[in-house]
Amino acid sequence: MTREQRQRGEEIIASRINTPFEWGVHDCGLFVADFLFAATGVDYAADVRYKYSDQAGAVKAFQEIPCSGIVGYLRRKADIYQWESVTPENARWGDVGILRNGRESACICIGPEIISAGQDRLITKPRSMASHLWRVN
């Protein structure tokens, strides 16, 4: 990720730090997609954006693609766009993945931590809690 891309990504994170979770607006997948859109100019969530407003709607939107939840969705995007799979130890700032924290959530690597949309605000966890990490081209 270039310095300019990182700066745009940091701006998205700063603007959402205290934003509560809302399906179809600021959920884990759209937070990551908005971050990537700001950084890369590619809307990786164009196929699901504006298609749901609750959990049941998100499940339906993923089924129509078809994929199984956020893990399946990110795997599909990784295959389509040929994102490189990386381990938590080798993850870099801006890599995307899955946070396993009682449920699966899309997340972004921000150095030694990962960040994701939480119930009341963005949450950070140790990078070691990430799985299925990818480096977005």
Side-chain angles (χ1 to χ4, degrees):
M1 192 165 274
T2 68
R3 178 178 291 171
E4 293 81 18
Q5 289 174 317
R6 182 173 174 153
Q7 182 178 353
R8 290 191 301 265
E10 288 172 342
E11 289 169 1
I12 288 292
I13 291 170
S15 72
R16 305 280 178 87
I17 198 77
N18 291 312
T19 303
F21 187 98
E22 184 178 353
W23 288 105
V25 177
H26 180 71
D27 54 48
C28 66
L30 290 178
F31 166 63
V32 169
D34 291 347
F35 170 90
L36 291 174
F37 183 67
T40 69
V42 177
D43 186 3
Y44 292 103
D47 52 351
V48 295
R49 192 179 296 280
Y50 310 117
K51 293 189 177 179
Y52 63 93
S53 59
D54 58 20
Q55 185 175 6
V59 169
K60 183 179 177 189
F62 286 141
Q63 288 173 339
E64 290 174 356
I65 290 177
C67 63
S68 177
I70 194 66
V71 173
Y73 186 73
L74 285 177
R75 281 185 177 149
R76 179 177 169 84
K77 294 298 176 176
D79 289 344
I80 291 169
Y81 293 99
Q82 299 178 337
W83 295 346
E84 176 188 357
S85 180
V86 295
T87 63
E89 300 80 27
N90 294 319
R92 295 184 199 154
W93 202 97
D95 291 347
V96 299
I98 299 297
L99 163 64
R100 294 194 186 272
N101 188 35
R103 64 183 181 94
E104 296 172 327
S105 303
C107 65
I108 304 161
C109 178
I110 54 168
E113 297 179 313
I114 52 177
I115 192 165
S116 184
Q119 188 63 34
D120 300 313
R121 63 188 317 266
L122 295 178
I123 59 168
T124 57
K125 298 289 181 183
R127 187 172 64 195
S128 61
M129 292 182 69
S131 64
H132 306 288
L133 285 159
W134 296 277
R135 182 147 306 130
V136 177
N137 306 331

